[in-house]
Every structure is written in C-alpha cells, then in structure tokens.
C-alpha cells in the first residue's frame, strides 16, 4: 500500500520529534531532512500495518486509540511516536520530566547509580586511640604477674616496678602515677584500678611525652607550670643514688629542684610564657634527659638539666654576687660578674627587663630565677634562648633588626675600656666589617635574629659588643681551648664553663678547709667526671 504525505514540513517544529541523535538545528536548516525521515517511516511494514488497522477501525466506526503507541524494531517499549515534553510556562526552554525505560528511538539511557559510600575508619579519639588487642593482652599479662598475690593492691614502694617495667616511665614518676590512680588516698593501687587508668584510659597507646605531660599537668589545664614539676623532683631527690648526700640539707634540695625547673623552662618553654605546652615538651630534649637520669647513677653525667655540679656553679656564682645574702642582686652586684666583664650599658638593658621581665617583684632587683636565665644566656651564647636574650638587649628600638647605630652604641663603651686598660683600640669601622664577615647577613645594612641563628660565631659578636674579657680571649684564640672543643664536640659552651668553674670552686673550698685545718687530704670525688 503506497501512501503519500503532502503536509507542510516547513511548519514542523523539529523539537517535537525529540531526536537526540539528530540536531534540531540541522532539521531547521534543511527541511528535506524531515521529509526524507517521514517518507522512510511510512515505508516501514509496521507503519503500513498500523495505518491499515486504523482505516479498518475508522470504517467500522470503532474509536481510535492513537496515543502514539506503536511498535518499532529499535524501541524497547514498542512506541512509534515519542510523547512530547511538557512545555514550561514560558514555552521554552522545556522542562524534561524523568522517564523510566529506554529511549523511544532505541538509544539506551545510562543507568545512574548512587556513588558507593566508602567507610572511613575513625581517626580521632577524644581520650586517645584504644590499644590493639595484642598490646592490651600483653600488658594485662604483665599486670597479672606484678599484682599476683596482692589482691588488696600494691603500696607505693611495691608499685615502683610497675611504673618502670609496665609503663616504661622513669622510676621517679612512681609517686605521681600512684596518686593519679589512687584518687581516694587509700594508700594502695589495685589491679583493676591500674588497668582502668592505664589500659582502659588509653594511656598505653600514647607516646612517652604525652604520658608524662598527662601525669604532670593539672586536670583543668592544657599546659605545665613550674609547680607541676616539683612532685617529680622531690621523688628524684629522695630516690636517686647521686643525690643521697643532699638529704641532710633540705634547703639545698629545694634550691636544686628550683634550679632544675628554671633550666627546663629556659630551654624548653620557647615562648617564655611560663606555660609549657605538649608541643614544646615533644620538641625539646627533656624526656631523653629524664630517661638518662633514671638509668645513670652519677647525676653529674646527666648534663642536660639535672647535673648537680651545674646547679652548684649557678648557685655559688649567685651567692658571690649577693653580698648581703637577701637573695636579690642589683646593678652594682651584677656589674662585678666575671671580674667586671660586662659593660654598664648592657647591665642597664638587663635591668630594664627588656630581654625578660624579672620575677623578683622588687624594683631594681634581680632574683635567683632571673639570674639563672642571665647566666645561662651569658655563658652559652650559641643557644637559641641566649641569642634571643641578647638580641633584645641590643635592639634598642625593638624593630627586630640590629643597625649600625645600635652596634656602635654598645661598642663605644668597649672601646673606652680598652683605652683605659692601655689596650690597642680597634676602631668601630673595623669591628663592623668583622661582624658582617662573621654573620654574613642577607642585607649588610642590618642584622636580623634569623641571620644570627645557625651561625656558630654569633655569640662572639655579642662578646665583641659588651664582654671585654671574652672579646680579648676571642682575639687571642687560645689553642688549648680550641683543642678542647675539638676533643669534645658534643659539649656546649655552658658544659665547658660549668666544668671549669666547678673545679675552681671546689679547689677554693678545699683551700679554705685546709686553712681552717678541716681538710688534710685531697678528695678526688670533688672533681667533675669529664
């Protein structure tokens, strides 16, 4: 059956065809495309059968159901004419409703599936990561061994092996750990109480710095204060074999503990706030020094923080300057330090409290803690705390750079002192060139703190400006001291100074004892173990 179509193709809206494979722009630009496509549709056998069926129904007077449903060899749902998309209120663009099934023209739709949700394991635990089962079982096994036969719990003396063997902490943390667990002050710690605190409290999985930080700090604070270290140091003084001789002099036990705490905060508390954070504790070398002190019977070999000889030197140097022994020193006292080595101008800057605010709370007076910070800075100008201390002193306007005028201001007094001592004066222009050559700053017009840090000669530059004795020693370059530095490269300037001073002070004390008839034999134990 041949059929002809004489419709006006020019008035055909291409969008009504809904042909995803053919662009509507192509149909508009070439009307013959739609004509040819319609002719091809009419030539299909299925189309002829459909038209005949419709004609027969029309002749018979039955209703025609022509909703557009027909069969197509390329259609999965047997639709001949696709339904029109509903128009929006403005008519264009069209809002296409989501349809189910395949395309009416046989083009398969891509099946859109929801993305697979990947389960991310928990990585944050408010109270610390729980211990793995293997680690937990091993710890519980060790607990059963130590608590076996002690159903009522362990006393403080019996608890010390638990601190060292199970918790792997220095033994002088036993009392601190014991009190953390024994909240009710019963005098004993049971197995269940220990497991609940150490294992179930997830202390087992923390690193040793975090463990010590958690044991020392107050529950409501996120930092350590000086007071937090005192219980630990009291136990160290009581139990360490190298400090037994101090038990008969409680006043020096207290001074020793104070000095250790001041040294800890000088080196570890880099912000100088008096609040030592966990980050600072991890970055410092305090934990390794604690472990060393726990293993070493000779406390003087623990050079970091705990050496008694270092305390002895600091305390004696302070006592020498404190002539009235009120535990405070003023400018006139400090100017005598190191056989009048310092200039008046640098002492004035120290007492102006620019490098560090005094804790003595007495106007014009420096306390023992302030002196500890001073002597550590003066005798080891290679350390970062020392460089920051003296940089603030020289930086008169506080703008963060040292200029030519500031350097000259402090060197003028040095130059005057050299002339008074009949020393050959060195002009400032030559000194400035020497300092620039030593520091090699990024900009020769000024020197920054960054320029000084990491430079081994930075300390010598400060000595040139305000310490005449060390300036002369640097110029003469004593070969004996150079050889000592090469033989012991791990020792700091402070270590060498403390060693020399301890020997000198011990010899003076022996000489005084001998003059009083109280010491007839030389005691080799007074010498430092270097």
């Amino acid at each position: 059956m041949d059929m002809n179509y004489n419709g006006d193709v020019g008035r055909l809206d291409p969008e009504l065809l809904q042909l995803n494979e053919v662009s509507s722009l192509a149909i508009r630009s070439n009307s013959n495309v739609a004509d040819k496509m319609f002719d091809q549709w009419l030539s299909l056998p299925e189309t002829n059968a459909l038209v005949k069926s419709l004609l027969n129904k029309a002749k018979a007077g039955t209703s025609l159901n022509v909703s557009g449903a027909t069969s197509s060899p390329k259609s999965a749902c047997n639709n001949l004419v696709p339904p029109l998309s509903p128009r929006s209120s403005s008519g264009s663009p069209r809002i296409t409703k989501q349809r189910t099934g395949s395309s009416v023209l046989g083009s398969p739709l891509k099946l859109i599936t929801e993305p697979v949700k990947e389960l991310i394991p928990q990585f944050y635990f408010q109270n610390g990561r729980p211990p793995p089962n293997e680690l937990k079982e091993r710890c519980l096994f060790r607990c059963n061994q130590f608590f076996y036969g002690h159903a009522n719990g362990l006393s403080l003396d019996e608890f010390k092996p638990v601190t060292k063997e199970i918790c792997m902490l220095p033994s002088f943390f036993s009392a601190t750990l014991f009190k953390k667990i024994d909240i009710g002050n019963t005098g004993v710690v049971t197995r269940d109480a220990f497991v609940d605190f150490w294992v179930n409290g997830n202390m087992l999985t923390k690193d040793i710095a975090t463990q010590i930080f958690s044991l020392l700090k107050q529950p409501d604070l996120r930092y350590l204060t000086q007071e937090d270290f005192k219980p630990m140091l009291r136990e160290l003084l009581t139990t360490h074999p190298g400090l037994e001789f101090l038990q008969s002099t409680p006043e020096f036990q207290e001074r020793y503990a104070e000095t250790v705490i001041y040294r800890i905060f000088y080196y570890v508390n880099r912000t100088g706030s008096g609040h030592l954070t966990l980050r600072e504790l991890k970055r410092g070398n305090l934990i390794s020094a604690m472990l060393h002190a726990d293993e070493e019977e000779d406390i003087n070999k623990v050079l970091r923080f705990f050496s008694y000889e270092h305390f002895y030197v600091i305390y004696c140097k302070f006592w020498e300057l404190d002539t009235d022994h009120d535990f405070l020193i003023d400018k006139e006292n400090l100017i005598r330090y190191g056989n009048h080595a310092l200039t008046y101008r640098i002492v004035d800057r120290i007492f102006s409290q620019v490098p560090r605010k005094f804790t003595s709370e007495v106007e014009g007076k420096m306390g023992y803690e302030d002196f500890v910070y001073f002597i550590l800075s003066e005798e080891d100008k290679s350390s970062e705390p020392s460089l920051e201390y003296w940089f603030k002193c020289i930086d008169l306007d506080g703008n963060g750079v040292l200029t030519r005028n500031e350097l000259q201001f402090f060197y003028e007094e040095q130059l005057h002192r050299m002339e008074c001592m009949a020393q050959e004066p060195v002009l400032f222009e030559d000194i400035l060139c020497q300092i620039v050559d030593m520091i090699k700053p990024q900009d020769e017009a000024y020197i920054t703190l960054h320029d000084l840090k990491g430079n081994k000669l930075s300390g010598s530059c400060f000595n040139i400006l305000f310490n005449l004795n060390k300036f002369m020693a640097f110029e003469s370059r004593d070969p004996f001291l150079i050889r000592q530095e090469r033989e012991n490269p791990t020792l700091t300037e402070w270590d060498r100074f403390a060693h020399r001073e301890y020997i000198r002070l011990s010899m003076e004390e022996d000489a005084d004892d001998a003059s009083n008839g109280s010491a007839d034999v030389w005691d080799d134990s007074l010498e430092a173990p270097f």
Side-chain angles (χ1 to χ4, degrees):
M1 175 180 174
D2 297 332
M3 300 182 64
N4 295 321
Y5 173 73
N6 296 323
D8 188 0
V9 180
R11 290 182 296 173
L12 177 65
D13 188 353
E15 293 185 2
L16 297 178
L17 297 176
Q18 291 188 339
L19 299 176
N20 296 331
E21 294 84 352
V22 181
S23 171
S24 60
L25 180 63
I27 297 175
R28 286 194 184 95
S29 62
N30 190 355
S31 60
N32 293 331
V33 173
D35 191 13
K36 290 180 181 180
M37 292 180 65
F38 189 69
D39 289 341
Q40 183 180 3
W41 176 73
L42 289 176
S43 66
L44 295 175
E46 294 84 353
T47 308
N48 290 333
L50 174 63
V51 173
K52 287 180 180 180
S53 174
L54 294 174
L55 288 175
N56 292 334
K57 289 182 179 181
K59 290 177 181 180
T62 60
S63 61
L64 301 178
N65 183 15
V66 285
S67 61
T70 185
S71 62
S72 174
K74 297 182 180 179
S75 175
C77 57
N78 297 326
N79 286 340
L80 182 63
V81 181
L84 300 178
S85 299
R87 294 179 180 272
S88 64
S89 58
S90 61
S92 181
R94 299 183 182 277
I95 302 175
T96 305
K97 293 183 179 180
Q98 184 177 359
R99 294 172 292 157
T100 60
S102 302
S103 170
V104 294
L105 294 178
S107 59
L109 294 175
K110 294 182 180 180
L111 183 61
I112 301 176
T113 59
E114 293 185 1
V116 179
K117 294 182 178 180
E118 183 180 356
L119 183 61
I120 300 177
Q122 184 177 354
F123 58 87
Y124 172 75
F125 302 88
Q126 184 176 2
N127 298 320
R129 181 180 295 275
N133 290 333
E134 182 181 355
L135 179 61
K136 182 177 180 179
E137 291 175 0
R138 188 163 60 248
C139 182
L140 292 177
F141 177 76
R142 294 284 287 163
C143 288
N144 294 335
Q145 288 181 323
F146 280 97
F147 282 90
Y148 179 76
H150 298 85
N152 296 327
L154 299 175
S155 64
L156 178 57
D157 290 336
E158 296 169 331
F159 185 76
K160 290 181 179 180
V162 176
T163 304
K164 191 171 180 64
E165 300 298 331
I166 296 182
C167 302
M168 308 298 291
L169 295 173
S171 59
F172 47 86
F173 275 88
S174 296
T176 303
L177 177 59
F178 189 91
K179 291 179 181 178
K180 282 283 185 179
I181 302 174
D182 183 24
I183 302 177
N185 295 323
T186 60
V188 293
V189 168
T190 62
R191 175 194 176 278
D192 293 341
F194 174 77
V195 171
D196 185 60
F197 177 84
W198 192 258
V199 181
N200 299 336
N202 299 332
M203 289 285 288
L204 180 61
T205 56
K206 297 177 181 178
D207 59 272
I208 186 171
T210 307
Q211 290 172 349
I212 290 178
F213 184 82
S214 302
L215 292 176
L216 292 179
K217 78 177 187 68
Q218 300 300 318
D220 55 338
L221 298 180
R222 303 184 65 181
Y223 53 81
L224 297 176
T225 64
Q226 293 185 3
E227 290 294 324
D228 295 330
F229 287 90
K230 290 185 177 180
M232 176 267 293
L233 288 170
R234 279 196 293 266
E235 188 173 3
L236 176 69
L237 285 161
T238 304
T239 60
H240 200 284
L243 296 170
E244 288 181 355
F245 67 96
L246 277 179
Q247 294 181 7
S248 59
T249 54
E251 65 277 11
F252 287 110
Q253 282 186 323
E254 183 179 352
R255 295 302 178 197
Y256 169 82
E258 288 179 355
T259 307
V260 171
I261 291 173
Y262 299 154
R263 294 183 67 186
I264 288 173
F265 274 78
Y266 174 83
Y267 286 107
V268 183
N269 182 215
R270 300 298 299 110
T271 60
S273 62
H275 298 162
L276 199 154
T277 63
L278 176 60
R279 177 181 177 87
E280 290 174 327
L281 184 64
K282 289 183 175 181
R283 294 181 64 181
N285 57 357
L286 177 59
I287 302 299
S288 59
M290 287 178 172
L291 295 172
H292 186 195
D294 192 43
E295 298 297 331
E296 179 58 61
E297 292 187 358
D298 187 354
I299 197 67
N300 292 319
K301 291 183 179 179
V302 187
L303 301 179
R304 305 286 81 80
F305 311 111
F306 296 99
S307 170
Y308 175 80
E309 292 180 353
H310 290 190
F311 152 71
Y312 185 84
V313 169
I314 295 174
Y315 187 82
C316 289
K317 298 292 283 187
F318 180 82
W319 193 253
E320 287 177 351
L321 299 178
D322 182 21
T323 53
D324 56 1
H325 302 317
D326 60 351
F327 232 64
L328 295 169
I329 58 177
D330 56 18
K331 289 183 183 180
E332 295 303 320
N333 297 139
L334 189 62
I335 202 68
R336 296 188 294 108
Y337 179 84
N339 195 20
H340 297 81
L342 301 175
T343 62
Y344 280 95
R345 290 182 178 180
I346 199 66
V347 171
D348 287 339
R349 289 292 287 174
I350 294 172
F351 274 83
S352 68
Q353 304 181 40
V354 171
R356 182 178 183 272
K357 186 174 178 58
F358 288 169
T359 60
S360 64
E361 298 182 354
V362 178
E363 185 68 25
K365 298 283 187 176
M366 171 189 285
Y368 180 64
E369 179 180 353
D370 308 315
F371 179 79
V372 172
Y373 275 70
F374 160 76
I375 192 173
L376 292 176
S377 300
E378 168 58 23
E379 300 303 339
D380 187 2
K381 295 188 177 73
S382 63
S383 67
E384 287 196 4
S386 174
L387 294 176
E388 295 171 3
Y389 187 94
W390 296 118
F391 186 90
K392 293 176 183 177
C393 287
I394 305 299
D395 186 14
L396 295 173
D397 54 7
N399 63 347
V401 296
L402 305 183
T403 61
R404 170 194 174 97
N405 292 336
E406 289 169 331
L407 300 179
Q408 187 173 11
F409 173 79
F410 286 94
Y411 183 73
E412 283 176 351
E413 188 174 350
Q414 287 281 71
L415 185 62
H416 177 69
R417 296 177 74 190
M418 284 188 284
E419 293 173 350
C420 293
M421 297 175 62
Q423 296 282 345
E424 181 180 356
V426 183
L427 299 179
F428 175 73
E429 287 70 18
D430 298 332
I431 287 297
L432 183 61
C433 292
Q434 184 178 1
I435 291 176
V436 171
D437 290 341
M438 292 166 63
I439 301 300
K440 295 180 175 58
Q442 293 182 354
D443 190 329
E444 294 187 358
Y446 54 83
I447 297 174
T448 65
L449 184 60
H450 179 73
D451 295 329
L452 295 173
K453 290 184 177 181
N455 191 312
K456 295 181 179 180
L457 297 176
S458 298
S460 299
C461 293
F462 286 125
N463 290 330
I464 291 173
L465 297 176
F466 54 76
N467 191 312
L468 185 59
N469 295 346
K470 291 184 178 181
F471 176 32
M472 294 302 177
F474 175 75
E475 289 294 313
S476 62
R477 300 282 173 53
D478 188 349
F480 175 73
L481 295 178
I482 296 176
R483 182 171 61 85
Q484 274 190 330
E485 293 177 3
R486 292 175 180 175
E487 290 177 352
N488 299 291
T490 58
L491 297 180
T492 65
E493 292 182 17
W494 165 256
D495 296 332
R496 296 188 180 92
F497 166 80
H499 171 57
R500 295 193 303 268
E501 284 299 305
Y502 181 78
I503 294 178
R504 181 186 68 81
L505 292 169
S506 60
M507 292 178 64
E508 289 180 357
E509 184 176 350
D510 287 338
D512 293 339
D513 292 341
S515 63
N516 295 330
S518 59
D520 298 329
V521 182
W522 174 264
D523 187 359
D524 293 334
S525 64
L526 293 174
E527 291 204 22
F530 287 84

